Amino acid sequence: MENPVIILGAQTVGTAALDAFLSNDVVVYCMLDDDKKLQGTELLDVPVMGNTDDGELLKLLGKKCEVFVATEDTASRRSLTQMLRTEYEAVPVNAIHERASVSNHATLGHGNYIGPNAVVAATATLGDGCLVGANAVVEARATVGDYAQLGSGALLGADTKVGEQAFIGAGAVVVAGVKIGDKARVGAGSVVVADVANGQTVFGNPAVKV
């Protein structure tokens, strides 16, 4: 990546994204966060300079800077991404840690975070704005919808389908062929052996509705 990056969000997701960019020797120009306590501070020697909608800094997007959206809240990530596209014609780049393994034959959208030691196998597909935690595995032909989140160590078996804005907790296993609905939630450490409906929360081994 030739241009430096501006990261929107300087909290947990922002810290992880910053580490991913730095692991690849990508220059991070600055971070933006709406928490005034963070503004004027530094994170890993990178300044936190203002709000996530700072028009003066966002004018740099395009020819001079790339952007990554790293806010904690899914709705915020979606709205900021939409704002960047409509007002600045900017599409977020992917933040892929140097120690992640992403197949050249996987399909990735825009603005995804893939953590250290995570694996995205050949023929797997990620949408836009997904968060894939450290040591998570997305196996062959698995599909992850826009703005879904996989916790650290989560495992998606072959041919699984994870809906938009779904949450798969740390260490959870979704066995091959299972479908997880939009905005569904899978508790940490669960083993999912049957389809999960839209908006449903499941937990346990085997995972059941809670």
Side-chain angles (χ1 to χ4, degrees), residues 67-83:
V67 66
F68 183 83
V69 181
T71 52
E72 309 297 303
D73 177 64
T74 300
S76 172
R77 288 207 312 281
R78 290 183 70 197
S79 63
L80 281 170
T81 299
Q82 187 61 37
M83 178 271 289

Side-chain angles (χ1 to χ4, degrees), residues 119-125 137-144 154-162 172-180 192-193 195:
V119 176
V120 180
T123 67
T125 301
V137 176
V138 182
E139 293 191 346
R141 299 181 304 279
T143 301
V144 182
L155 170 63
L156 301 184
D159 297 299
T160 53
K161 292 190 185 319
V162 175
V173 175
V174 181
V175 302
V178 166
K179 295 179 177 61
I180 307 294
V192 186
V193 297
D195 292 354

Side-chain angles (χ1 to χ4, degrees), residues 10-87:
Q11 301 183 45
T12 303
V13 178
T15 302
L18 175 60
D19 182 54
F21 286 121
L22 295 179
S23 76
N24 289 288
D25 296 322
V26 173
V27 174
V28 177
Y29 181 78
C30 70
M31 305 180 79
L32 303 177
D33 198 282
D34 295 334
D35 185 344
K36 294 197 180 303
K37 293 179 182 176
L38 295 175
Q39 294 170 12
T41 66
E42 290 188 347
L43 182 60
L44 305 181
D45 296 325
V46 174
V48 182
M49 297 181 69
N51 290 328
T52 54
D53 59 356
D54 188 316
E56 288 304 309
L57 286 168
L58 294 180
K59 284 179 184 176
L60 297 172
L61 300 181
K63 293 182 179 179
K64 294 183 178 179
C65 282
E66 306 291 348
V67 66
F68 183 83
V69 181
T71 52
E72 309 297 303
D73 177 64
T74 300
S76 172
R77 288 207 312 281
R78 290 183 70 197
S79 63
L80 281 170
T81 299
Q82 187 61 37
M83 178 271 289
L84 291 168
R85 288 181 172 178
T86 56
E87 295 185 25

